[in-house]
Amino acid sequence: METQNDRERVIILDTSLRDGEQQPDIEYTQDQKIKIASLLEKVGVDVIEAGYPAASPGEFWTVNKIAHNFANKPNVTICALVSTVVDHVHKTAACLQPAASKRIHTYIGTSPQHRAALNKTKEEIIGDAQLAVSCAKQYTDDVQFSAEDAIRTEREFLKEIFEATIKAGATTINVPDTVGKQRPKKVEELFKWLKSNVEGIEKVTLSIHCHNDLGNASANSIAAIEGGARQVECTMNGYGERAGNTCLKTVVMNIDEYGDDLGVTTNINRRHLIPMERLLARTTNVGLPTNRPGGENANTHKSGGHQSKMSKDKSTYEILDIGEYGGRSKGFIIDKLSGRAGVRSVLKDLGFESVTKTQLNNIYNECMMVADKTNKAVPKSQIKDIATKELEARFNEASASQDNAQTHNVGFTRHMIR
Ligand code: KIV
Ligand code: ZN
């Protein structure tokens, strides 16, 4: 039987601090970026893309500070993005210098649309890419090259530019779906094609970088792994421009679910994921939908039919436990759609272990009245009050009838004595 140790490692490159910050409503302070980098280390990401140092002096000093903080931490690679402008490559190298393990990530647009916008020929683009990679190579062995908009680039040109950059010393070759337009089958096909057609590809790590414009970012990343990718680029909470980047937690959940099939594993400490996601959401003030993969509602149910089956067997409606990812389930929600099984289960959680069928009926009916009237879920505290009142009422009834019976008995005895 295959164990986790037999599986190949997929490198997780987190670009929350670079591509994630390209989301229009996200802006981190220097302190926040430094803190996020240290949390990403805790989460277990292999590569932190800390920013784009050539963009501004502030960005330079922030990435530089992060590089300093990782001066004695060779297990995490600090990476920075840079265009193919050679002066900028030198600057980026200087910025990353203090990090124990550093990567320079250079990129250039390769698709017809990007070539036209750059006003460059294919040959010029290859020349720029080669030059940037060789320049980066003077500073670190670990150099990544990205063909921006690779997904819309002609395969033969991709082959050419990847072969040229591998020759120049690139150790990671990244294939971005910059506009988020591809679908999984095509991504897998492309990666398989690259694996068997690009000379030297076996010497480098093949990487996928997806945007989520059609909602396919995670599926495309998993498809790329099936095609041979061994690095996935993603962000916490899937933050990123337009519809965002691939969500790190979603990729990890998929690898957890399909790891046997894919033959891969990651180094991620999954229990830190949800706490970190929440912390980031508080930092950015960008809320998280409750119904996303592994979201707040992953283990929460309110339909009566679902609650009834869930009470017997959790696997009827759940494939994962958000507790594994550091989350907490809200359990059953009681509203107008819920049933008696759901109410019984909530009562149990509230400490009302053994209510009779009649008591349950009365509590359930009362809950439905409240839910209909307020058009909201009944808060647990109110369910507790309803249950307490019901049990007290039954207790009072029982003691009243016992009193009656005793009075009656006494009368009878007296009568007998007389
Ligand atoms: O989306 C993209 O193409 C990128 C690259 C620069 C890696 O972010
Ligand atoms: Zn991107």
Side-chain angles (χ1 to χ4, degrees):
M1 209 184 91
E2 193 186 57
T3 66
Q4 291 263 353
N5 293 339
D6 300 328
R7 298 187 193 167
E8 279 184 66
R9 257 280 284 290
V10 167
I11 295 167
I12 299 291
L13 179 149
D14 181 280
T15 182
S16 299
L17 296 175
R18 199 276 300 169
D19 227 358
E21 209 188 9
Q22 287 178 211
Q23 178 159 324
D25 44 0
I26 293 181
E27 213 78 58
Y28 298 118
T29 63
Q30 184 183 66
D31 286 349
Q32 285 169 341
K33 278 193 147 198
I34 291 166
K35 173 93 194 290
I36 292 166
S38 77
L39 292 172
L40 287 170
E41 181 200 0
K42 234 177 152 187
V43 162
V45 312
D46 303 286
V47 185
I48 298 173
E49 188 160 70
Y52 200 139
S56 78
E59 180 76 349
F60 181 98
W61 291 116
T62 304
V63 177
N64 184 251
K65 182 87 178 88
I66 293 172
H68 270 290
N69 290 351
F70 284 80
N72 298 313
K73 297 178 174 174
N75 292 341
V76 187
T77 299
I78 303 302
C79 167
L81 185 68
V82 62
S83 69
T84 52
V85 175
V86 166
D87 274 357
H88 291 180
V89 177
H90 291 305
K91 198 183 232 179
T92 304
C95 174
L96 288 175
Q97 198 280 328
S101 171
K102 46 191 153 284
R103 174 181 299 183
I104 299 174
H105 175 188
T106 184
Y107 75 100
I108 190 163
T110 53
S111 64
Q113 294 85 339
H114 282 249
R115 294 195 306 263
L118 292 169
N119 197 20
K120 286 192 187 243
T121 63
K122 287 180 179 170
E123 290 67 35
E124 286 169 326
I125 284 173
I126 292 183
D128 287 357
Q130 268 181 316
L131 202 62
V133 171
S134 346
C135 175
K137 204 71 184 175
Q138 297 169 36
Y139 299 99
T140 171
D141 250 1
D142 190 345
V143 177
Q144 173 167 332
F145 171 70
S146 287
E148 190 186 11
D149 204 11
I151 287 296
R152 291 193 295 180
T153 303
E154 306 87 334
R155 279 190 183 183
E156 285 304 324
F157 182 45
L158 269 190
K159 170 178 155 67
E160 244 184 284
I161 197 158
F162 286 160
E163 284 176 352
T165 47
I166 292 169
K167 274 202 190 109
T171 44
T172 300
I173 290 292
N174 185 34
V175 179
D177 183 6
T178 304
V179 292
K181 93 175 282 291
Q182 200 47 290
R183 61 196 166 98
K185 191 174 159 200
K186 295 281 182 185
V187 171
E188 184 181 348
E189 247 172 54
L190 173 63
F191 273 75
K192 284 185 171 155
W193 186 87
L194 292 171
K195 283 287 260 187
S196 40
N197 287 282
V198 174
E199 216 174 290
I201 201 84
E202 69 290 347
K203 293 188 289 196
V204 303
T205 304
L206 200 48
S207 166
I208 179 75
H209 173 109
C210 293
H211 284 264
N212 203 29
D213 298 63
L214 293 176
N216 290 337
S218 315
N220 283 341
S221 302
I222 298 301
I225 293 175
E226 296 200 273
R230 286 298 175 266
Q231 174 174 285
V232 174
E233 303 199 354
C234 36
T235 60
M236 297 298 298
N237 290 334
Y239 287 151
E241 57 201 323
R242 305 188 310 277
N245 285 56
T246 306
C247 167
L248 191 153
K249 186 189 71 203
T250 309
V251 166
V252 172
M253 279 173 9
N254 272 275
I255 292 178
D256 289 346
E257 184 70 19
Y258 299 117
D260 277 345
D261 275 0
L262 301 168
V264 299
T265 184
T266 69
N267 194 36
I268 296 296
N269 302 317
R270 40 182 92 65
R271 279 185 191 277
H272 292 314
L273 285 174
I274 291 179
M276 167 127 194
E277 284 191 335
R278 296 217 172 122
L279 191 139
L280 266 199
R282 285 198 300 276
T283 307
T284 58
N285 262 327
V286 178
L288 301 173
T290 49
N291 64 347
R292 69 208 178 104
E296 215 181 306
N297 290 345
N299 298 134
T300 304
H301 307 269
K302 72 173 194 180
S303 138
H306 288 210
Q307 289 175 341
S308 166
K309 286 192 233 163
M310 281 289 297
S311 305
K312 292 174 189 138
D313 176 5
K314 275 186 161 209
S315 75
T316 48
Y317 292 104
E318 283 181 7
I319 58 159
L320 59 89
D321 174 5
I322 56 165
E324 290 280 309
Y325 299 88
R328 211 152 19 102
S329 161
K330 282 188 279 176
F332 288 168
I333 299 291
I334 302 301
D335 84 343
K336 62 187 175 194
L337 301 177
S338 309
R340 286 170 184 75
V343 173
R344 189 183 277 289
S345 163
V346 170
L347 288 173
K348 241 180 169 176
D349 291 346
L350 292 171
F352 300 93
E353 289 285 340
S354 46
V355 288
T356 65
K357 225 171 169 182
T358 315
Q359 286 167 340
L360 177 66
N361 258 333
N362 292 340
I363 297 167
Y364 166 77
N365 288 335
E366 183 70 23
C367 286
M368 290 307 105
M369 264 169 51
V370 173
D372 273 339
K373 204 165 136 195
T374 59
N375 208 26
K376 282 200 178 113
V378 189
K380 299 264 158 77
S381 57
Q382 197 167 359
I383 299 176
K384 196 172 173 183
D385 288 347
I386 293 170
T388 308
K389 275 189 197 131
E390 169 62 23
L391 295 196
E392 275 172 13
R394 295 297 140 239
F395 178 75
N396 288 339
E397 263 174 36
S399 32
S401 68
Q402 211 177 14
D403 283 352
N404 280 343
Q406 266 169 12
T407 314
H408 188 70
N409 271 344
V410 170
F412 181 72
T413 314
R414 280 190 193 134
H415 171 76
M416 292 290 286
I417 293 169
R418 248 189 257 136

